[in-house]
Amino acid sequence: NAGVMQNPRHLVRRRGQEARLRCSPVKGHSHVYWYRQLPEEGLKFMVYLQKENIIDESGMPKERFSAEFPKEGPSILRIQQVVRGDSAAYFCASSSQGGTSGGRTDTQYFGPGTRLTVL
Amino acid sequence: QKEVEQNSGPLSVPEGAIASLNCTYSDRGSQSFFWYRQYSGKSPELIMSIYSNGDKEDGRFTAQLNKASQYVSLLIRDSQPSDSATYLCAVRDDYKLSFGAGTTVTVRA
């Protein structure tokens, strides 16, 4: 039962370094979403991608953050020049459909998350 | 993101009791609603989805939806210590989920 996989599970970076977070969706899912959970806060949407396309990045900070979902390989969330405020849990989710189908196919299943700590 | 409000916790219930969790949302056009459970340090786990007005039951869990009142709730019957977790209400806005802040439930033995 291959669910959403994320790696690394824990990542420690010093201020100014780059962080790369990887997400492999459920097999057969072509829709990937990234969410961030800051300490003591709720989950916030960051970006929605389909293969080779960014559909909505409205929740992602304009600077230092980027995301991709190439034709082959996992989705990558990249944070350049990390700051302490980037310390959070980053969750990836996937679904088999992305629209408002109102059914099970639009259900988002979450991966285990990557916990980023910036020193 | 649209607003999703959950009743403030934490909520402490004795084992075997009913835990009642409430959630309201701001977008009257929302169609899909979800309850996720999140244990400390873990990822959200889907426990219920509901799309139509009324009740939906799955084991010890019952979700209730009232679109006219923009209200969705979750009842946990016969609460067990393993139900101790944070429960997240999520509303789908097109393709992205808007989450409430969560309600932490503690089931005391």
Side-chain angles (χ1 to χ4, degrees):
Chain A
N1 182 16
V4 178
M5 299 174 66
Q6 290 187 249
N7 67 81
R9 298 288 298 276
H10 299 274
L11 182 62
V12 178
R13 285 288 178 266
R14 296 192 180 278
R15 281 178 296 170
Q17 291 184 319
E18 179 179 287
R20 281 188 181 232
L21 289 60
R22 295 174 183 76
C23 168
S24 296
V26 172
K27 188 176 181 180
H29 285 189
S30 58
H31 301 263
V32 165
Y33 316 80
W34 286 92
Y35 293 84
R36 178 167 66 173
Q37 189 171 37
L38 293 166
E40 307 304 322
E41 292 189 20
L43 281 155
K44 301 293 184 185
F45 168 81
M46 298 182 74
V47 61
Y48 164 41
L49 310 104
Q50 295 180 26
K51 283 286 187 181
E52 299 184 278
N53 287 300
I54 297 174
I55 308 302
D56 183 346
E57 55 184 349
S58 61
M60 203 152 64
K62 293 288 187 287
E63 298 181 358
R64 302 189 297 109
F65 286 72
S66 62
E68 63 177 10
F69 189 15
K71 185 177 181 181
E72 301 290 339
S75 174
I76 306 287
L77 179 67
R78 181 183 179 205
I79 312 172
Q80 295 177 289
Q81 299 175 320
V82 296
V83 301
R84 289 212 172 115
D86 297 331
S87 295
Y90 291 82
F91 292 100
C92 169
S94 74
S95 66
S96 59
Q97 287 191 19
T100 51
S101 62
R104 294 184 64 81
T105 53
D106 68 352
T107 299
Q108 295 182 21
Y109 296 93
F110 283 78
T114 294
R115 280 150 183 83
L116 173 65
T117 301
V118 179
L119 301 177
Chain B
Q1 287 182 277
K2 305 299 169 61
E3 289 191 9
V4 179
E5 301 283 342
Q6 293 186 239
N7 53 328
S8 59
L11 180 65
S12 179
V13 298
E15 187 173 356
I18 295 175
S20 177
L21 307 172
N22 302 318
C23 174
T24 58
Y25 57 95
S26 63
D27 184 4
R28 185 171 290 277
S30 297
Q31 297 294 322
S32 303
F33 307 88
F34 306 87
W35 284 99
Y36 286 83
R37 178 176 62 197
Q38 187 175 28
Y39 293 112
S40 180
K42 302 296 185 182
S43 63
E45 173 193 9
L46 180 69
I47 54 172
M48 289 286 281
S49 58
I50 187 165
Y51 305 98
S52 304
N53 280 329
D55 295 359
K56 179 181 178 182
E57 187 175 315
D58 184 358
R60 296 185 295 109
F61 298 97
T62 298
Q64 298 173 317
L65 175 61
N66 184 326
K67 291 183 181 179
S69 300
Q70 296 174 236
Y71 172 91
V72 58
S73 67
L74 180 71
L75 297 177
I76 308 173
R77 292 184 303 281
D78 187 25
S79 296
Q80 302 296 309
S82 60
D83 295 327
S84 297
T86 297
Y87 290 81
L88 305 172
C89 173
V91 178
R92 186 161 184 138
D93 172 19
D94 287 335
Y95 37 73
K96 56 191 172 188
L97 295 174
S98 295
F99 285 88
T103 300
T104 298
V105 174
T106 300
V107 180
R108 53 186 192 275

